[in-house]
Amino acid sequence: MGLEFVKSNKGADHLVHHGYRFLLDSQNRNENKKHWKCVEYKISKCRGRVTTQGDDVIRFNNDHNHTPSQAKINAKRAVEEIKQLAKSSLEPPQQIASTVIPSTSPAGQAQLPRISAMVRIIQRTRQLSNSPLPIPKGVNELVLPDVFKVTQWGDEFLIADDGQDSSRMIMFGTKENLVHL
């Protein structure tokens, strides 16, 4: 039986076993054994533990002081999928999120970060993987990174942005240059 993993927020593997998540506590490389502790260890002093050898669970201490949360695991998987799509797709962040969210269970959806946080996750993932910015299909899909909203001297450069619909108007310039109009 193979082991099941999800990624933590920082990219580490978390073992999933019986609806609980475990993080790597220690390992014995000679015997190929890994000791895992519950992710709730620091928060609620949970004593749940798992020992694996290769791809098998050889010991499971089910001494948890909380209930298993399949919803949190589903949310972690959805965020992983969002990050993978962010790396491989040029679609706008909102479209990536709207592709993944419907395939997540309702309980998992309740555990997902807010849309604004998911957009930042997508932007950060693309920035770390050096993916190019997506090419918008229209002015309403245009997302302006903060670096384009100010000049190199820190002056405000985005004068007006009146929304996200198809008649969107964006005006660039500095207040100093407006005087010359």
Side-chain angles (χ1 to χ4, degrees):
M1 178 179 110
L3 300 176
E4 187 179 350
F5 296 95
V6 293
K7 293 285 186 190
S8 71
N9 291 342
K10 295 186 178 182
D13 282 334
H14 280 182
L15 174 68
V16 175
H17 190 65
H18 291 289
Y20 295 100
R21 286 184 302 134
F22 299 87
L23 56 94
L24 186 61
D25 189 27
S26 65
Q27 59 185 341
N28 180 335
R29 293 180 194 261
N30 295 335
E31 298 177 25
N32 198 19
K33 281 186 184 179
K34 293 183 179 181
H35 303 278
W36 305 80
K37 64 183 176 184
C38 181
V39 294
E40 299 286 328
Y41 173 77
K42 284 185 179 179
I43 298 166
S44 59
K45 304 290 185 221
C46 180
R47 298 175 53 85
R49 302 260 190 229
V50 171
T51 302
T52 60
Q53 188 167 22
D55 283 343
D56 297 317
V57 172
I58 59 172
R59 190 174 142 262
F60 176 50
N61 173 2
N62 198 15
D63 190 15
H64 293 277
N65 59 5
H66 57 95
T67 59
S69 181
Q70 193 62 41
K72 286 183 182 178
I73 293 167
N74 290 342
K76 289 280 184 192
R77 286 191 181 116
V79 170
E80 279 182 53
E81 187 178 347
I82 285 171
K83 287 180 178 181
Q84 286 301 318
L85 285 171
K87 289 177 186 176
S88 64
S89 165
L90 293 178
E91 302 209 1
Q94 291 85 352
Q95 182 138 8
I96 290 173
S98 67
T99 302
V100 174
I101 291 172
S103 63
T104 307
S105 69
Q109 289 178 11
Q111 296 293 323
L112 285 171
R114 294 180 316 232
I115 294 291
S116 60
M118 283 192 269
V119 167
R120 284 193 308 273
I121 288 168
I122 292 167
Q123 291 169 341
R124 198 175 313 115
T125 301
R126 285 181 171 161
Q127 189 175 30
L128 290 173
S129 68
N130 293 325
S131 299
L133 292 174
I135 298 172
K137 293 183 176 90
V139 71
N140 56 330
E141 291 182 3
L142 182 65
V143 177
L144 294 172
D146 290 336
V147 70
F148 296 128
K149 295 179 183 178
V150 294
T151 66
Q152 65 185 28
W153 298 280
D155 297 331
E156 190 174 294
F157 188 61
L158 177 64
I159 294 174
D161 185 357
D162 72 349
Q164 296 292 330
D165 61 355
S166 61
S167 62
R168 179 180 183 187
M169 184 181 81
I170 303 171
M171 190 162 73
F172 294 100
T174 61
K175 294 192 189 285
E176 182 180 291
N177 287 342
L178 281 177
V179 173
H180 299 292
L181 292 176

